[in-house]
Amino acid sequence: MLGPNPIDRLRIPDDTTVEEHDLVTDGDVLVGGQSTVELGVRGRSVVAGERVSFDGDIEAEGDCRLDMWCEVDGNVLAEKDAYLGERAHITGRLVVGGDLDIGDDVDIEEGFEASGWIVIRNPMPTLTFFVMYVTHLLQLGEEEEAQDLVEELAADGDRDPLTIPRSGSVSDDAWRVSTPATIGDNCRLHGNIRATEIDVGRGNNVFGSLRAQDDVTVGAGTKIHGDVTTRDGNVHVQGDAVVLGDVSGHDVTIDEAADVDGIIRARGEMRLGSSTDRDAE
C-alpha cells in the first residue's frame, strides 16, 4: 500500500555498489530533504529535496533535480534536463544535455552550459509538489493513479530507485536513517548500517556492521564484515551467509549452512534452522 511519503525508508536496489568515493546504481536516486550524502552519486535520474548536501560529483544519465539550498561539492552532469532550486550551490561545473530550469541566487562556481533552453524562475520545489500531489490523490481515493505517478517518477519502472529518507546520512563510514532499511541482492557497500530495522538480500558484501532497533535479516550468500545486533528485535542469518563478527538479538536464528565468526547472544531463544532463502519465505 502506497503511503503519503514516497521516500519512507532507506532502499538500496539490486547491484548497487560503492566504488571509491561514488555511490553507483542503475536506477534513479531519490533523496529526502535535509540529508547528507558524503559521496558522489551516479545513477539514471537524481532527485533531491531541500537542503541536501553531496560531497562529490553527480552524474545522471537522465534528469537532475536539486531543490532549494542544495549543496554539491563537485561537478554536476545531467545528460537530459536539470532543475536547480533557489540558492543551490555547486562548487564545480554544471553541464546539461537538455533544458536548464534555474531558481534565484544559484551559485555555480565554475560556470555552466546547457544544450537546450535556460529558464530562470522559482517554481515549487520538486519533492514538495510531488508529495502534495500524491497526498491529494490518496485523499480523493485515487490510489491507482497515485501509484502510477510514483512508478512514472522511477523512470520506466524497470529498475527500483535508490531512496534515502529525510534527514538520512550516508558516508563511507556509516549509513544512518531513522526508518527501516532494505538492501537488495548483489550489492557491494562500505559503511555500518544503522536503521530501525534492516532486511539484507542475497549475495551482498557489506564492509561494516548492521545495527537496528527491531528485526534484522541477513540473506543467503551475504557476507557482513562486522557485528549484527538489534536492541529489541530478532535476528535471522539465512542460508550460507557469513557474519565476521558477533550476532545479538532477542530471538536469534542461524541457518545450518550459515557461518558466524563471533559470539552469538540471544536474550530469548537461540535456534539452529534449516537452510532457507528469501524465496522460500
Side-chain angles (χ1 to χ4, degrees):
M1 182 66 67
L2 178 67
N5 182 6
I7 309 179
D8 60 355
R9 68 175 54 225
L10 173 65
R11 189 183 304 275
I12 304 174
D14 297 349
D15 303 313
T16 297
T17 61
V18 174
E19 300 175 6
E20 295 182 351
H21 199 59
D22 288 336
L23 177 59
V24 182
T25 183
D26 291 336
D28 296 335
V29 179
L30 309 180
V31 185
Q34 301 184 24
S35 294
T36 301
V37 182
E38 296 182 20
L39 299 166
V41 174
R42 283 187 273 159
R44 184 161 53 187
S45 289
V46 179
V47 179
E50 79 284 355
R51 297 183 186 274
V52 174
S53 65
F54 295 89
D55 187 13
D57 297 339
I58 295 177
E59 298 182 22
E61 296 177 2
D63 299 339
C64 180
R65 303 181 67 86
L66 307 177
D67 282 344
M68 62 181 69
W69 297 101
C70 279
E71 297 268 349
V72 180
D73 188 8
N75 302 309
V76 175
L77 169 63
E79 295 187 14
K80 294 184 179 178
D81 299 334
Y83 159 82
L84 299 181
E86 60 180 301
R87 295 180 174 83
H89 177 212
I90 299 173
T91 64
R93 185 168 180 80
L94 171 65
V95 179
V96 182
D99 299 335
L100 173 60
D101 195 343
I102 192 169
D104 290 337
D105 298 323
V106 170
D107 183 14
I108 306 170
E109 294 188 11
E110 297 186 10
F112 66 90
E113 60 182 84
S115 299
W117 294 95
I118 299 176
V119 179
I120 299 177
R121 58 178 177 172
N122 282 315
M124 182 180 291
T126 304
L127 290 184
T128 300
F129 173 78
F130 176 71
V131 173
M132 287 179 61
Y133 187 38
V134 169
T135 302
H136 179 65
L137 290 174
L138 292 172
Q139 290 173 345
L140 293 176
E142 300 290 343
E143 295 186 7
E144 185 175 349
E145 186 174 348
Q147 184 65 52
D148 289 344
L149 182 62
V150 173
E151 292 175 356
E152 182 179 350
L153 181 66
D156 298 329
D158 57 335
R159 298 289 298 179
D160 291 333
L162 187 155
T163 61
I164 300 172
R166 185 176 182 85
S167 301
S169 175
V170 175
S171 71
D172 280 332
D173 294 327
W175 303 58
R176 301 180 185 275
V177 297
S178 56
T179 66
T182 301
I183 300 173
D185 300 334
N186 303 315
C187 298
R188 181 181 174 88
L189 306 175
H190 293 263
N192 304 310
I193 311 294
R194 304 288 184 259
T196 57
E197 62 183 72
I198 303 173
D199 184 4
V200 183
R202 296 172 294 189
N204 298 288
N205 209 349
V206 180
F207 293 89
S209 62
L210 308 180
R211 187 171 70 198
Q213 296 173 348
D214 298 319
D215 293 350
V216 179
T217 301
V218 179
T222 285
K223 192 171 188 178
I224 306 296
H225 297 254
D227 298 335
V228 176
T229 61
T230 171
R231 187 175 66 187
D232 301 318
N234 303 322
V235 177
H236 187 183
V237 182
Q238 299 179 336
D240 55 348
V242 176
V243 177
L244 299 177
D246 298 341
V247 173
S248 176
H250 186 270
D251 294 343
V252 176
T253 302
I254 309 294
D255 284 358
E256 292 177 351
D259 184 13
V260 176
D261 186 19
I263 299 172
I264 301 174
R265 299 182 179 90
R267 296 183 297 277
E269 295 185 3
M270 169 62 196
R271 304 186 184 97
L272 182 63
S274 61
S275 295
T276 61
D277 59 29
R278 292 155 63 94
D279 291 337
E281 294 191 340

